């Protein structure tokens, strides 16, 4: 029997099934979605046998047995003693393959993989984050087909206006809880609009503006972005008036579907929730005051999202676009006049978004204003603010407070580099410096991973990929291609746990989060498992063991199926009760849109 006879598509399917059943025993890590034909293609071996004693080969029902290009030993990842990177970029033909690791004549490990320019587009993977975002909608939730939080809200920390009702229904729930933050929502909106603008023509129209099935002549990604923009308008009810947050951590007393939320904030069970204005000094309702220093970080996010909304919707809805432009102009002036960071508030726990930088927000607002106005003073402002933070500070850092430097990617730098020939070299140098710091931190570890394992580390991974793609496309410089590809592959299973960090359909990959931290996980909706509606969500990602051990209430509700791979610098648990590493977030998920769209353009 020939190799082509033995390696049928049925055999490859059987290998995939074997890998699912023995995920704990795997020591070969591959991108479980696939590799593009012209990719830098790398798999990773981790185990307790020296790589020099092993052999690796690819096999295909169409092309027979193929040698890999090289096997490069790398720094091990505890608790495994050995590691190696397996390169096979020379294999470019489309198809299904089996990667085999042998110890002498004995097969030690085996896994399947796919190569082809349709590796991502065959699954329309760019659309998957929208599934999660629709499930996160507040006000009316199309997944549950029910309204929620329709009484929001009442003002707090507003002096004589305390207790006054304001209509702020809409937007998205932030994560598995039902809080809503301007900080993360505005960034999510910008990311969606940016992904659309940079990748037009590839977006589907399967849902209407309410999120229900049915085309409406508008790409679904713009329906989602507009849902967010309309909510932001409510959070900016008048010129100079800006709200920063709905609800607080008292929310965590309830776990269930959003329509049943019964938390009492002093307005009765399930009543109106508190609305926090943007406040430029330390504030809070309890003993945990934030460390706000100004308004710019939040109000500039209004300005940038409104500006990009105006640009994207200019032809689709000129009236809406004009109002976005007007609000952007007013918001930019307010933000510039009130420098500093505007943090979120907590009441019963010390956890909040601790954003402390703000010049990046003003830089993005200015360059976004420049794109729609052509006003040279906006370009000058963008350059001035950009020079104050040439590198996003997490890049190269070993640790950071929660969301200390946010957004995690500065999208203004590439905009200036593309739009201002006189400053292009300066701002591409800034981008290169950030990427170099991450590359230096990655060193020679087997996963080429240089991101700190802080809470929401996967959000930083997506930010790194986004900056690397934009830098490479603007400059043509390929020096960070392996760093970029390794970060992408990390999200798709080339990590110590062999698990994708994006919740993907069960029939799509070998190992995807099955037990994410969400009220939907153990429920069914309209006869479908609740997890189906979490598809597309990006989970927080691994955290330093020290972080996991000190967070309030974090634990495991079942045996850790990745126990044999714990013991390195970070832990990841596919477990509902580990909110530190396995909780999908709205803003992280939205930030996937650009990367996934680029992967689907092939």
């Amino acid at each position: 029997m020939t190799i082509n006879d033995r390696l049928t598509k049925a055999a490859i399917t059987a290998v995939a099934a074997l890998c699912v059943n023995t995920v704990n025993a795997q020591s070969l890590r591959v991108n479980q979605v696939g590799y593009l034909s012209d990719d830098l293609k790398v798999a990773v071996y981790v185990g307790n046998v020296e790589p020099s004693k092993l052999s690796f080969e690819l096999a295909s029902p169409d092309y027979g047995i193929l040698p890999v290009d090289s096997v490069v030993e790398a720094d091990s990842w505890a608790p495994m003693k050995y590691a190696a990177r397996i390169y096979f970029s020379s294999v470019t033909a489309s198809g299904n393959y089996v990667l085999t690791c042998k110890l002498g004549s004995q097969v030690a490990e085996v896994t399947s993989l796919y190569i082809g320019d349709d590796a991502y587009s065959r699954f329309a993977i760019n659309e998957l984050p929208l599934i999660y975002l629709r499930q996160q909608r507040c006000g009316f939730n199309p997944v549950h087909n029910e309204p929620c939080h329709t009484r929001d809200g009442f003002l707090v920390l507003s002096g004589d206006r305390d207790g006054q009702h304001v209509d702020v229904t809409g937007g998205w729930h932030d994560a598995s809880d039902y809080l809503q933050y301007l900080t993360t929502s505005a960034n999510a909106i910008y990311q969606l609009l940016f992904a659309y603008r940079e990748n037009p023509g590839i977006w589907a129209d399967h849902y209407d503006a309410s999120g229900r099935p049915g085309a409406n002549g508008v790409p679904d990604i713009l329906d989602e972005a507009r849902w967010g923009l309309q909510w932001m308008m409510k959070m900016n009810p008048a010129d100079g008036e800006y709200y920063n947050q709905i609800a607080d951590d008292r929310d965590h007393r309830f776990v269930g579907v959003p329509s049943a939320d019964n938390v009492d904030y002093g307005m009765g069970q399930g009543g109106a929730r508190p609305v926090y204005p943007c406040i430029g000094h330390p504030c809070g309702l309890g003993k945990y005051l934030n460390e706000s220093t100004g308004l710019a970080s939040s109000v500039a996010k209004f300005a940038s999202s409104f500006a990009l909304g105006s640009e994207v919707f200019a032809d689709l809805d000129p009236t809406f676009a004009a109002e976005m432009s007007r609000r952007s102009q007013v918001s930019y002036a307010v933000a510039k006049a009130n420098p500093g960071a505007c943090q979120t508030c907590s009441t019963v726990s010390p956890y909040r978004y601790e954003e402390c930088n703000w010049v990046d927000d003003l830089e993005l607002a200015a360059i976004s204003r420049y794109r729609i106005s052509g006003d040279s003073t906006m370009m000058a402002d963008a350059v001035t603010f950009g020079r104050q933070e040439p590198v996003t500070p997490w890049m190269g850092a070993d640790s950071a407070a929660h969301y200390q430097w946010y957004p995690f990617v500065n999208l203004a730098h590439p905009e200036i580099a593309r739009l201002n020939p006189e400053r292009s070299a300066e701002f591409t140098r800034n981008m290169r410096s950030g990427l170099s710091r991450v590359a230096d931190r990655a060193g020679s570890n087997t996963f080429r991973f240089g991101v700190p394992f802080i809470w929401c580390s996967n959000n930083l991974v997506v930010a790194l990929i986004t900056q690397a793609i934009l830098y490479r496309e603007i400059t043509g410089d390929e020096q960070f291609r392996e760093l970029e590809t390794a970060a992408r592959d990390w999200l798709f299973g080339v990590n110590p746990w062999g698990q994708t960090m994006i919740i993907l359909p069960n029939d799509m990959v070998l190992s995807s989060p099955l037990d994410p931290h969400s009220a939907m996980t153990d429920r069914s909706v309209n006869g479908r498992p609740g997890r189906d509606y979490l598809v597309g969500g990006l989970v927080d990602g691994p955290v330093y063991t020290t972080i996991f051990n000190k967070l309030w209430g974090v634990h495991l509700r079942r045996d850790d199926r990745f126990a044999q791979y714990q013991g390195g610098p970070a832990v990841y648990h596919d477990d509902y009760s580990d909110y530190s590493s396995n909780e999908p977030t709205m803003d992280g998920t939205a930030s996937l849109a650009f990367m996934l769209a680029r992967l689907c353009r092939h």
Side-chain angles (χ1 to χ4, degrees):
M1 182 179 291
T2 68
I3 184 66
N4 284 1
D5 291 327
R6 285 186 281 116
L7 284 172
T8 62
K9 287 182 173 59
I12 287 177
T13 301
V15 168
L18 174 65
C19 292
V20 169
N21 293 331
T22 62
V23 65
N24 285 348
Q26 284 191 58
S27 56
L28 289 175
R29 303 301 190 223
V30 300
N31 183 316
Q32 295 181 28
V33 176
Y35 299 84
L36 299 171
S37 297
D38 63 352
D39 260 345
L40 172 67
K41 305 180 189 70
V42 183
V44 165
Y45 162 80
V46 289
N48 293 316
V49 177
E50 293 182 48
S52 60
K53 297 179 180 179
L54 301 169
S55 62
F56 302 89
E57 64 184 23
L58 281 170
S60 160
D62 299 313
Y63 313 112
I65 295 177
L66 305 169
V68 300
D69 299 335
S70 60
V71 178
V72 179
E73 292 194 37
D75 292 347
S76 62
W77 189 281
M80 297 301 177
K81 294 175 63 176
Y82 302 104
R85 292 177 64 78
I86 306 156
Y87 294 84
F88 53 100
S89 300
S90 63
V91 182
T92 59
S94 297
N96 294 295
Y97 294 81
V98 169
L99 175 65
T100 302
C101 168
K102 293 183 178 180
L103 179 60
S105 61
Q106 181 182 1
V107 174
E109 305 288 350
V110 62
T111 193
S112 61
L113 58 91
Y114 179 82
I115 295 173
D117 283 341
D118 64 343
Y120 298 89
S121 59
R122 62 191 171 137
F123 298 115
I125 200 168
N126 58 305
E127 301 287 339
L128 296 185
L130 302 179
I131 297 174
Y132 178 74
L133 287 173
R134 282 188 289 269
Q135 186 272 142
Q136 291 294 107
R137 283 196 184 192
C138 186
F140 173 75
N141 191 293
V143 169
H144 301 277
N145 197 32
E146 289 181 331
C148 67
H149 303 114
T150 57
R151 300 176 184 177
D152 289 340
F154 66 94
L155 290 175
V156 296
L157 300 176
S158 299
D160 293 342
R161 297 182 65 192
D162 275 3
Q164 179 180 322
H165 177 266
V166 289
D167 177 12
V168 289
T169 57
W172 302 284
H173 304 131
D174 194 55
S176 68
D177 51 42
Y178 298 136
L179 286 79
Q180 295 177 259
Y181 299 108
L182 180 281
T183 304
T184 50
S185 297
N187 181 47
I189 292 163
Y190 198 97
Q191 294 277 357
L192 294 175
L193 293 168
F194 182 78
Y196 175 83
R197 192 194 74 192
E198 295 294 305
N199 303 277
I202 70 167
W203 303 97
D205 176 20
H206 298 314
Y207 294 84
D208 65 18
S210 72
R212 294 185 178 101
N216 65 343
V218 177
D220 297 332
I221 191 171
L222 292 189
D223 284 329
E224 213 58 39
R226 183 164 185 157
W227 178 266
L229 285 168
Q230 290 169 333
W231 174 77
M232 282 186 68
M233 293 172 73
K234 292 184 176 184
M235 298 289 279
N236 170 214
D239 289 353
E241 185 172 355
Y242 301 95
Y243 305 148
N244 205 47
Q245 175 179 333
I246 304 173
D248 55 48
D249 51 351
R250 287 172 285 179
D251 165 282
H252 301 163
R253 298 168 182 166
F254 172 80
V255 178
V257 295
S259 60
D261 189 350
N262 62 6
V263 175
D264 186 348
Y265 291 95
M267 296 292 182
Q269 286 196 350
R273 301 186 296 171
V275 179
Y276 292 79
C278 293
I279 298 175
H281 56 77
C283 60
L285 293 178
K287 68 177 182 178
Y288 298 107
L289 301 184
N290 65 24
E291 298 177 355
S292 293
T293 58
L295 302 180
S297 66
S298 287
V299 178
K301 288 182 177 70
F302 279 99
S304 56
S305 293
F306 285 154
L308 185 51
S310 176
E311 179 182 355
V312 169
F313 283 96
D315 294 329
L316 285 169
D317 189 337
T319 301
F320 181 66
E323 177 60 14
M324 292 295 99
S325 178
R326 189 195 71 79
R327 287 175 181 252
S328 172
Q329 183 177 15
V330 173
S331 299
Y332 179 74
V334 173
K336 187 176 178 182
N338 292 273
C342 184
Q343 296 187 354
T344 63
C345 292
S346 61
T347 298
V348 296
S349 72
Y351 305 132
R352 64 180 188 277
Y353 291 136
E354 301 178 65
E355 184 177 11
C356 67
N357 60 339
W358 50 272
V359 292
D360 57 330
D361 295 297
L362 279 167
E363 180 191 0
L364 185 60
I367 196 64
S368 300
R369 289 283 311 146
Y370 173 80
R371 285 187 64 96
I372 62 174
S373 69
D375 183 350
S376 61
T377 62
M378 291 295 98
M379 175 62 78
D381 278 3
V383 171
T384 297
F385 289 122
R387 285 173 171 169
Q388 294 177 56
E389 189 178 278
V391 175
T392 303
W394 73 260
M395 304 186 87
D398 290 328
S399 189
H402 190 43
Y403 278 56
Q404 181 176 359
W405 299 301
Y406 188 78
F408 300 119
V409 60
N410 186 339
L411 291 174
H413 280 6
E415 292 283 69
I416 296 172
R418 292 193 289 197
L419 296 173
N420 190 334
E422 293 181 357
R423 304 301 176 205
S424 183
E426 176 184 350
F427 280 84
T428 55
R429 182 172 65 247
N430 293 343
M431 296 173 70
R432 182 170 63 251
S433 179
L435 295 169
S436 295
R437 294 180 188 186
V438 178
D440 288 346
R441 191 172 182 279
S444 58
N445 78 63
T446 191
F447 296 102
R448 297 296 187 265
F449 193 83
V451 168
F453 289 113
I454 58 175
W455 203 349
C456 295
S457 63
N458 280 339
N459 294 19
L460 275 64
V461 174
V462 180
L464 170 66
I465 297 166
T466 301
Q467 181 157 316
I469 291 172
L470 292 169
Y471 173 80
R472 174 170 49 82
E473 292 179 349
I474 291 169
T475 65
D477 183 355
E478 296 274 334
Q479 67 172 300
F480 301 110
R481 192 62 180 263
E482 184 161 8
L483 183 73
E484 172 193 333
T485 304
R488 179 204 68 189
D489 291 349
W490 175 275
L491 297 178
F492 291 116
V494 185
N495 55 60
W497 308 273
Q499 170 116 319
T500 72
M501 295 293 166
I502 303 168
I503 302 170
L504 298 175
N506 287 328
D507 59 352
M508 183 173 164
V509 293
L510 304 183
S511 179
S512 184
L514 298 174
D515 195 21
H517 182 79
S518 170
M520 295 285 290
T521 298
D522 296 329
R523 301 175 187 275
S524 62
V525 180
N526 301 323
R528 295 178 62 190
R531 182 191 176 278
D532 288 357
Y533 299 99
L534 301 175
V535 162
L538 177 73
V539 298
D540 284 339
V543 296
Y544 289 118
T545 304
T546 52
I547 291 179
F548 175 78
N549 287 339
K550 73 179 182 180
L551 288 173
W552 291 12
V554 72
H555 62 286
L556 302 183
R557 69 174 182 176
R558 54 169 54 94
D559 290 342
D560 180 10
R561 65 189 180 97
F562 295 131
Q564 71 186 93
Y565 299 113
Q566 312 293 12
V571 294
Y572 167 77
H573 305 104
D574 186 8
D575 192 298
Y576 170 87
S577 295
D578 183 2
Y579 64 83
S580 68
S581 72
N582 209 39
E583 180 176 12
T585 62
M586 173 271 301
D587 63 313
T589 298
S591 71
L592 287 169
F594 172 77
M595 176 193 81
L596 297 181
R598 276 294 197 264
L599 292 172
C600 290
R601 285 194 350 181
H602 284 70

